[in-house]
Every structure is written in structure tokens, then in C-alpha cells.
Amino acid sequence: AEYMGNKLCDQLTGQFASVPEVARNYKAQGLPWVTVGDENYGEGSSREHAALEPRHLGGRAIIVKSFARIHETNLKKQGMLPLTFANPEDYDKIQPTDRISLLDLAAMKPGSQVKCQLKHADGSKEEIILNHTFNENQLEWFQAGSALNRMRQLRAAKSA
């Protein structure tokens, strides 16, 4: 498919639209989504907002070659999965019309890798490997949906 700057293919409609438009449509349909980016993702952004908006719009993961300083941790605090390509060349395998599945997330632990399945429009599939930098506490944030949710759980457990 043709590259259209700051637009992406809505997998439900087949049309290209702005990122927020597509994200809102996916959220309305109950479809979790991921963002794929290049180097230094999150640089120059209002980092807290850049981590809050994908979460608010139903995003689940950000897959990139590298993250800007601090942004990766902000995504973790929001319950997002910041992931990097184990092989940066795998970035080129992803097509605008691909469906992306993250496999075996329940088995994630510090130091493990995440399997990612790419389903291409022609029906073929490829698997790539992604890295994460979660420690045990941060994995609890992810499992709870965010760092604030985890804090709420811990407070409720203390007062029970």
C-alpha cells in the first residue's frame, strides 16, 4: 500500500485516515490496537500526554526501534506495552494493512521476549520477536492496567 504521511489504514474500513480517527473507530468497535514506529519514539512530545492518549483511545502496545528518554517508562505507567524490535530490520516486514497479534503475554517476565505475529493482507503470516524492559513491579502495573490501578489494588488489600 502507498505511504500516506501521518495517516494509516483503518483495518475495519480499508480507508486511510488520521491516527486519532482510526484509534477512535477501533475503540468504538472494542478493537485493541498497537502503534508501530521508528527510532526515538516519543521525542519532543508532551510525554505524559503522549502516553495517556494511546491508552485513552484503546491502544495496547507501542512497537518501535527505540524510545526517547523517559517516554518508555511513562507508557508503562499507563499500562501500555512499550516494545522494541529484537531485530530492527523486522520493522520493514510490517505493511500498512497488517494485523498484528502479540502472543503469550501472560507468560511475560523480566528478561523474556514477546512473540509477534504479522498477518499480511495476502493471508501469509510472519513471526517476529520483540523486547521489553519491564521489571517485576512494572509487570504488575501492566497486569493491573496502569501504575495507578496497581496502587489502588495495594491500598485496598491493606484496608481489607
Side-chain angles (χ1 to χ4, degrees):
E2 176 184 342
Y3 173 75
M4 302 178 75
N6 205 26
K7 292 193 181 244
L8 55 102
C9 183
D10 184 320
Q11 300 296 308
L12 302 176
T13 67
Q15 302 297 310
F16 279 79
S18 72
V19 174
E21 279 180 86
V22 173
R24 282 187 196 97
N25 185 38
Y26 288 172
K27 181 179 181 181
Q29 301 302 318
L31 181 66
W33 52 270
V34 304
T35 294
V36 178
D38 203 339
E39 300 276 355
N40 209 19
Y41 183 88
E43 180 194 28
S45 63
S46 169
R47 288 191 182 101
E48 285 295 324
H49 186 264
L52 278 168
E53 187 172 20
R55 172 82 174 147
H56 171 71
L57 292 175
R60 295 295 185 262
I62 308 291
I63 304 169
V64 297
K65 291 182 182 177
S66 67
F67 286 97
R69 186 181 69 80
I70 301 173
H71 189 62
E72 183 178 10
T73 299
N74 287 341
L75 288 167
K76 290 176 184 178
K77 288 178 183 176
Q78 292 305 319
M80 297 285 293
L81 272 176
L83 302 166
T84 56
F85 295 97
N87 176 359
E89 293 174 12
D90 285 344
Y91 171 86
D92 295 320
K93 294 180 179 179
I94 299 175
Q95 303 301 311
T97 54
D98 282 353
R99 288 193 177 232
I100 297 174
S101 297
L102 301 174
L103 310 175
D104 303 323
L105 292 180
M108 228 172 73
K109 61 182 188 250
S112 68
Q113 293 181 306
V114 175
K115 290 180 188 174
C116 175
Q117 184 181 72
L118 308 174
K119 297 174 194 169
H120 302 300
D122 66 5
S124 65
K125 295 177 182 177
E126 286 185 82
E127 193 171 282
I128 61 173
I129 302 297
L130 305 171
N131 295 325
H132 72 83
T133 60
F134 281 88
N135 62 35
E136 285 291 341
N137 288 336
Q138 293 167 339
L139 279 171
E140 290 176 3
W141 299 346
F142 171 65
Q143 292 160 349
S146 72
L148 286 174
N149 288 349
R150 181 62 182 142
M151 290 169 61
R152 188 177 303 116
Q153 289 174 344
L154 292 172
R155 183 181 306 183
K158 276 186 180 179
S159 59

